[in-house]
Amino acid sequence: MKKILNWVFAKLDKIGKDKYQHFTLGAFITAFVFIILTVVGREDVAWWLSLFATFGIEFIKEFVIDSEGSPADFAATMLGGLSVGTPLFILIFL
């Protein structure tokens, strides 16, 4: 078991801190927008708009504001959003 954990942690160490931050930001934006829309009574569109907001904010940040956009950063952010959005989708629509 220790060898497996050491192997997993060695692989995770190769991922840059920046990607972890983008992943966390994507999860936060998705959850935040979803909660706000649910509180104001728009549960019907909360899931879609939360992922769309994450996509839009990260797209603008990476490809409009930054001089050189990083597709890897964009993908990490969207994966973070999907890590929150997928369980929400299952809870709401299934």
Side-chain angles (χ1 to χ4, degrees):
M1 185 67 169
K2 185 175 180 181
K3 287 183 181 182
I4 293 171
L5 287 176
N6 285 338
W7 179 81
V8 168
F9 289 134
K11 295 293 181 185
L12 290 174
D13 282 342
K14 292 181 180 180
I15 299 172
K17 176 183 168 186
D18 182 50
K19 300 303 179 271
Y20 289 119
Q21 291 172 337
H22 276 276
F23 185 88
T24 304
L25 180 67
F28 175 78
I29 293 170
T30 301
F32 181 76
V33 173
F34 182 85
I35 290 169
I36 295 299
L37 289 171
T38 303
V39 167
V40 299
R42 293 305 311 247
E43 298 90 1
D44 54 335
V45 295
W47 186 79
W48 303 103
L49 285 180
S50 63
L51 286 176
F52 185 73
T54 304
F55 180 88
I57 290 169
E58 183 59 17
F59 185 85
I60 290 170
K61 188 260 180 207
E62 282 300 323
F63 300 111
V64 175
I65 296 174
D66 289 351
S67 58
E68 287 187 26
S70 169
D73 288 348
F74 182 79
T77 304
M78 291 312 300
L79 285 174
L82 287 173
S83 73
V84 170
T86 302
L88 291 173
F89 180 83
I90 292 169
L91 286 172
I92 293 170
F93 296 110
L94 298 179

